Amino acid sequence: MNTDPRTALAALINALERHYEASAASRGDDDPALDAATEQLTTAFDAYDDALFEAYDVATPLIVFDGDDEDDEEDDDEFDDFDDLDDEDDDLDDDELEDDDDFDDEDDDDQR
């Protein structure tokens, strides 16, 4: 696909506006107009992301979730490793806080 990124961006902005309008007018989760706008937004985003990558070898930092519960469980597994990192960071933060207290005391002594 050789879509111009600028053209794809304009289509994405238009799709965002249509999605906003459908969201503002929606009266519930099962609104067919909102579903259609969501699908158009997803398609426009994918086209923009692909065009940007094709033209400049750059990807957007965004991910489109499709709303399937089964896929969400698989996606959650991909982020389990990040949860482990958070736990490690929490442990490090406690140690770093103790070290920071030592530095604060030294700074106070220097100011006196």
Side-chain angles (χ1 to χ4, degrees), residues 2-15 44 47-48 51-52 56:
N2 286 351
T3 304
D4 174 49
R6 176 62 69 180
T7 303
L9 175 61
L12 175 59
I13 292 169
N14 187 36
Y48 172 69
L52 196 63
Y56 305 113

Side-chain angles (χ1 to χ4, degrees), residues 16-17 42 72 74-75 81:
L16 282 164
E17 290 173 351
T42 300
D72 288 345
E74 291 175 15
D75 290 340
D81 293 338

Side-chain angles (χ1 to χ4, degrees), residues 73-88:
E73 289 176 15
E74 291 175 15
D75 290 340
D76 288 344
D77 291 341
E78 293 176 17
F79 295 108
D80 284 344
D81 293 338
F82 292 119
D83 291 338
D84 294 341
L85 289 175
D86 287 341
D87 292 341
E88 290 175 13

Side-chain angles (χ1 to χ4, degrees), residues 16-79:
L16 282 164
E17 290 173 351
R18 299 296 82 77
H19 186 267
Y20 170 77
E21 291 165 359
S23 297
S26 177
R27 299 290 183 248
D29 292 337
D30 295 329
D31 186 343
L34 182 57
D35 290 342
T38 300
E39 182 61 33
Q40 291 169 352
L41 178 56
T42 300
T43 301
F45 171 75
D46 287 338
Y48 172 69
D49 195 41
D50 290 344
L52 196 63
F53 190 79
E54 288 277 329
Y56 305 113
D57 202 27
V58 173
T60 62
L62 307 172
I63 300 171
V64 174
F65 291 100
D66 61 9
D68 291 340
D69 290 337
E70 291 176 17
D71 289 340
D72 288 345
E73 289 176 15
E74 291 175 15
D75 290 340
D76 288 344
D77 291 341
E78 293 176 17
F79 295 108

Side-chain angles (χ1 to χ4, degrees), residues 93-112:
D93 290 342
D94 292 341
D95 294 339
E96 289 174 356
L97 286 175
E98 290 172 9
D99 292 341
D100 285 346
D101 288 342
D102 293 341
F103 289 118
D104 289 342
D105 291 342
E106 291 174 7
D107 289 341
D108 291 341
D109 290 341
D110 290 342
Q111 293 177 358
R112 289 184 200 164

